[in-house]
Amino acid sequence: MNLHSFSTVLIIAILSIAGFHPNTQAQFLVKTQNLTENANIYQPVFNPKEGAIYVSAARDFDTKGCIYKLDAETLEVLDSINIPGSAPLGLGINVSTQTLYSTNSITGLVTAINLKTGEINHISSTVPGSSAREVIVDEKRNLIYITSVPAGGGIWVIDGSTNTFDHYIYNLGKTITGADLDVENNILYATAMGDDEIVLVDAQTGIIQKKLEAHGDRPTNVVFDKANNRLLIANQGSGNLTIIDAEKGDLIKAIPTGAGALGVDYDPQRELIYVANRKERTVNVIDGNTLEITETFEMHGLPNTFVINQETGTFWVTNKDVSKRGSKKKKPAKNGDSVSRFEI
């Protein structure tokens, strides 16, 4: 062994003893697949039992909204589920029951789709003025939570065993957009975008436990990091990711990511954070330990939201067509409405 090699091994050994384990996993953009014209896609979910990705598509908010089923590897369209008279937006899946849930921009309904039988069930809220945006699935209790922007800003609760509306959690704040669930403690974390706050709610009683400052402008989506008891918040207005203590609300770090930070997801096994910056047209990879950006990918569309295969670390992101929804200062989208697959 030469002196340089010996020195390198020695340094690594010292860092390992000190507890420093750099995240050396590199991400690669493997493929971007364009979908049909005017697809107007938003949210992806991964179904490991089928090896498929489902993507909501509002179809420019006409009466032909659908959910696309894609091969998780090739991203080729395998099938589509028509949701007539609606515009699918938020998407969630209960893998255990093989039920897909979609929120609908036009009707305000939630649609439950039995992937085994193809049966479709439309669920309505009994609360006047409530709407449906994001889907949070609690597989342990078979409950589905739906964020609602108007009606005082609240959350639907749907009984997954019957796929019926159960009750509404009222008055959480202005413009409730995203949410995540601490399954073990049964706590909902919801983004009150109009208040720049994160609202902690007892999911069983619906009682607000506390409200935390998001430390960013227009917080839109949030992810709960259980191992570190942190909240990862994508802030559209300030174009950054803020990381706060989930109990006290103290700011751990604010990371500038790019204009229109919208989507955020976390891979706890590999300790990697992903942020989609819609206006910036970039996807960031952030080391969950150092909280430093390790990769930034330039996208050909407007990246929106993620889904991760927690077993392999593969993740997918949806991209909007820039030519219709992007900045005039940048070139038109190369791929239009598309889905991109990344691997480690």
Side-chain angles (χ1 to χ4, degrees):
M1 180 182 292
N2 60 37
L3 182 60
H4 179 268
S5 298
F6 177 77
S7 299
T8 301
V9 171
L10 181 61
I11 291 171
I12 292 173
I14 292 172
L15 289 174
S16 297
I17 293 172
F20 178 74
H21 302 283
N23 192 334
T24 58
Q25 301 171 105
Q27 293 73 34
F28 301 94
L29 174 55
V30 178
K31 183 176 183 179
T32 294
Q33 178 67 43
N34 189 29
L35 297 184
T36 59
E37 187 178 358
N38 298 325
N40 197 4
I41 62 175
Y42 181 68
Q43 187 125 30
V45 296
F46 174 58
N47 185 3
K49 291 189 176 182
E50 295 181 302
I53 300 293
Y54 288 89
V55 180
S56 57
R59 295 272 188 88
D60 277 345
F61 300 96
D62 61 14
T63 59
K64 301 176 182 177
C66 77
I67 297 170
Y68 290 107
K69 179 181 179 181
L70 312 180
D71 183 285
E73 295 294 322
T74 67
L75 302 182
E76 298 294 331
V77 176
L78 302 175
D79 199 1
S80 62
I81 304 168
N82 292 322
I83 313 293
S86 189
L89 180 68
L91 207 59
I93 186 171
N94 186 324
V95 176
S96 299
T97 65
Q98 284 294 283
T99 307
L100 191 66
Y101 295 91
S102 169
T103 62
N104 303 297
S105 301
I106 293 179
T107 62
L109 301 174
V110 173
T111 301
I113 304 163
N114 188 319
L115 295 176
K116 294 178 288 188
T117 66
E119 179 184 358
I120 295 177
N121 179 32
H122 297 295
I123 306 166
S124 61
S125 165
T126 59
V127 178
S130 65
S131 65
R133 189 182 185 276
E134 293 292 318
V135 181
I136 304 92
V137 176
D138 181 356
E139 292 198 17
K140 179 180 178 181
R141 302 171 182 84
N142 200 8
L143 294 173
I144 296 84
Y145 299 98
I146 309 292
T147 63
S148 177
V149 173
I155 294 177
W156 302 29
V157 182
I158 293 173
D159 183 342
S161 62
T162 59
N163 284 326
T164 56
F165 175 80
D166 188 87
H167 65 280
Y168 190 82
I169 302 174
Y170 285 90
N171 300 322
L172 300 184
K174 295 180 182 178
T175 320
I176 301 298
T177 52
D180 201 6
L181 177 69
D182 174 358
V183 177
E184 183 178 341
N185 296 304
N186 208 17
I187 297 174
L188 281 164
Y189 298 93
T191 55
M193 189 169 69
D195 297 321
D196 294 335
E197 292 179 334
I198 305 297
V199 186
L200 280 65
V201 184
D202 185 310
Q204 182 175 0
T205 65
I207 296 174
I208 296 175
Q209 294 188 340
K210 62 182 71 175
K211 294 185 177 183
L212 306 176
E213 182 183 350
H215 296 280
D217 180 31
R218 298 183 69 215
T220 307
N221 287 303
V222 61
V223 170
F224 173 61
D225 170 10
K226 176 183 176 181
N228 299 294
N229 197 36
R230 304 180 300 193
L231 297 177
L232 315 175
I233 308 161
N235 303 284
Q236 278 196 79
S238 47
N240 64 355
L241 177 79
T242 50
I243 302 170
I244 69 172
D245 184 286
E247 182 179 355
K248 298 179 181 179
D250 295 339
L251 177 66
I252 298 171
K253 189 170 185 178
I255 306 172
T257 56
L262 176 66
V264 58
D265 213 336
Y266 181 56
D267 181 347
Q269 294 189 49
R270 295 156 192 87
E271 297 180 296
L272 294 171
I273 305 166
Y274 301 108
V275 180
N277 307 295
R278 179 162 164 160
K279 291 183 179 180
E280 196 76 18
R281 296 195 204 177
T282 59
V283 167
N284 304 122
V285 182
I286 299 171
D287 187 304
N289 289 309
T290 66
L291 301 183
E292 298 291 336
I293 296 175
T294 60
E295 297 275 356
T296 296
F297 294 93
E298 298 285 339
M299 308 303 292
H300 290 294
L302 305 172
N304 281 282
T305 50
F306 300 99
V307 66
I308 302 172
N309 181 340
Q310 297 290 347
E311 182 177 340
T312 66
T314 298
F315 68 96
W316 298 262
V317 62
T318 53
N319 308 290
K320 290 278 192 182
D321 184 348
V322 180
S323 62
K324 294 181 180 179
R325 306 170 181 88
S327 169
K328 295 180 180 179
K329 297 180 181 180
K330 296 192 176 185
K331 295 179 181 179
K334 177 180 178 181
N335 295 295
D337 278 6
S338 60
V339 178
S340 297
R341 175 167 65 90
F342 293 79
E343 289 187 355
I344 292 179

